[in-house]
Amino acid sequence: MAHPSQLGFQDAASPIMEELLHFHDHALMIVFLISTLVLYIIVAMVTTKLTNKFILDSQEIEIIWTLLPAIILILIALPSLRILYLMDEINDPHLTIKAMGHQWYWSYEYTDYEDLGFDSYMIPTQDLTPGQFRLLETDHRMVIPVESPIRVLVSAEDVLHSWAVPSLGVKMDAVPGRLNQTAFITSRPGVFYGQCSEICGANHSFMPIVVEAVPLEYFENWSFLMLQDA
Amino acid sequence: MLGTDLQNYRTAPFDARFPNQNQTRNCWSNYVDFHRCQKALDAKGVDTAPCEWYRRVYKSLCPMSWVQKWDDQRDEGTFPGKI
């Protein structure tokens, strides 16, 4: 989850998010280098007493400041495309879950074997127990088996919503009448938080998403218990 | 058909006809195919077991509210697909 005065991304919980994190570090480093160079040049230009009013052309520097940016752009584009194609790989999911956006809660459906469906409402601030996170906790979590490829089909029952979990590197718009597919694998067990990412009315900020990744046996127990409760 | 083993069914496999983000048509096709299959095999008086694959796939992919709505439409005779 996010931390107070956090500057960077949340810790990655999926391989794709790890890649995105590293790419961001790489691209940001290039940005810092260029910015530092430009700032240095500006300061140097502004603080010098030397002048030369007779410069006409200069092949060498023109070549350098054309070639170097082209090379830098390629150095950014190649890792970026690598990740793009990685995200586009054909995966073989073990489980399909439907995340349906409503005003103002998510509902999850696990229908591969039995018809399991439940709503996931935010826990109001006054009902939180010590240690729980304000505006992030829900009464029912989307429980998944850890290290298994999961397919999530996102849609909405009323207006536009968006299902996002930053630590998994996932965001997918929930459009009424449309079934949007996304997939991920959790690298480790844990609880991962997200929030609705498309303005959807008064309580848009109060319909969070909580994904809980557990070992397979726990997942099987949980789904059995959830089916009984339904 | 490769991968159509019902015994080892985990979830709807990758379908090359719907390779992209938008899976709406995937859900719709399998729903319609199941009911067409059922109607056709019933008409012949044959066991409808082969249709089970389509049923499992549409159950995995389609939101329960969509399935409910389409079932109600079929009962009323207002279902937009040709079955």
Side-chain angles (χ1 to χ4, degrees):
Chain A
M1 54 157 272
H3 296 271
S5 50
Q6 172 178 324
L7 290 178
F9 291 121
Q10 296 180 25
D11 290 340
S14 79
I16 295 285
M17 189 57 203
E18 274 180 63
E19 296 281 351
L20 288 169
L21 238 161
H22 294 320
F23 173 72
H24 177 265
D25 288 347
H26 167 76
L28 191 62
M29 179 56 69
I30 294 174
V31 165
F32 281 157
L33 289 172
I34 295 172
S35 304
T36 309
L37 177 66
V38 169
L39 186 61
Y40 169 76
I41 293 172
I42 289 173
V43 167
M45 293 293 113
V46 156
T47 56
T48 185
K49 287 211 154 71
L50 302 169
T51 57
N52 183 340
K53 294 182 279 192
F54 304 106
I55 299 181
L56 289 175
D57 64 0
S58 48
Q59 273 280 30
E60 302 81 4
I61 196 170
E62 292 271 357
I63 288 175
I64 292 173
W65 70 33
T66 304
L67 220 49
L68 212 50
I71 293 170
I72 290 173
L73 285 175
I74 291 174
L75 283 180
I76 295 174
L78 289 178
S80 177
L81 288 172
R82 189 181 73 87
I83 298 178
L84 187 65
Y85 278 76
L86 249 170
M87 289 166 73
D88 210 25
E89 290 262 323
I90 295 173
N91 30 35
D92 176 34
H94 290 185
L95 185 63
T96 299
I97 304 173
K98 275 151 285 180
M100 307 292 292
H102 309 250
Q103 283 178 311
W104 286 282
Y105 62 96
W106 291 94
S107 63
Y108 299 108
E109 299 176 12
Y110 295 64
T111 52
D112 287 322
Y113 305 101
E114 307 287 330
D115 279 351
L116 170 59
F118 55 90
D119 298 336
S120 176
Y121 279 87
M122 182 185 87
I123 296 182
T125 306
Q126 63 255 38
D127 297 342
L128 290 170
T129 56
Q132 286 191 310
F133 303 122
R134 192 180 70 91
L135 307 184
L136 287 177
E137 302 284 358
T138 56
D139 53 3
H140 299 113
R141 297 171 168 174
M142 187 180 110
V143 179
I144 55 172
V146 70
E147 288 177 9
S148 289
I150 310 283
R151 171 204 273 130
V152 178
L153 295 169
V154 182
S155 188
E157 297 280 24
D158 36 46
V159 300
L160 294 179
H161 300 268
S162 186
W163 196 81
V165 184
S167 52
L168 300 175
V170 169
K171 184 180 292 180
M172 190 53 70
D173 280 358
V175 180
R178 183 182 166 109
L179 214 47
N180 274 336
Q181 173 178 272
T182 185
F184 58 85
I185 298 187
T186 37
S187 331
R188 54 186 166 87
V191 183
F192 312 113
Y193 296 90
Q195 294 175 291
C196 178
S197 298
E198 184 66 43
I199 187 82
C200 54
N203 288 343
H204 155 69
S205 315
F206 310 114
M207 46 182 291
I209 295 136
V210 187
V211 176
E212 186 176 338
V214 296
L216 187 58
E217 312 80 56
Y218 287 71
F219 171 72
E220 287 170 347
N221 279 344
W222 169 85
S223 47
F224 177 72
L225 291 169
M226 289 296 285
L227 268 167
Q228 288 198 315
D229 281 345
Chain B
M1 220 196 300
L2 277 151
T4 53
D5 189 357
L6 220 43
Q7 291 282 56
N8 299 331
Y9 184 87
R10 278 199 293 216
T11 188
F14 171 74
D15 188 337
R17 298 173 298 166
F18 313 101
N20 298 321
Q21 179 180 302
N22 188 356
Q23 296 290 299
T24 316
R25 236 32 211 177
N26 194 351
C27 149
W28 169 263
S29 283
N30 281 286
Y31 180 85
V32 164
D33 286 348
F34 169 69
H35 289 98
R36 283 182 188 157
C37 170
Q38 227 190 8
K39 181 175 174 193
L41 295 187
D42 270 341
K44 286 199 194 144
V46 165
D47 178 29
T48 57
C51 308
E52 184 63 8
W53 175 260
Y54 299 118
R55 193 185 74 84
R56 293 301 297 271
V57 174
Y58 94 66
K59 277 243 160 251
S60 284
L61 298 176
C62 302
M64 299 194 293
S65 63
W66 293 13
V67 173
Q68 187 62 52
K69 185 173 96 196
W70 292 337
D71 287 346
D72 294 342
Q73 284 178 335
R74 279 186 307 111
D75 290 336
E76 282 174 21
T78 55
F79 184 68
K82 199 162 79 126
I83 295 186

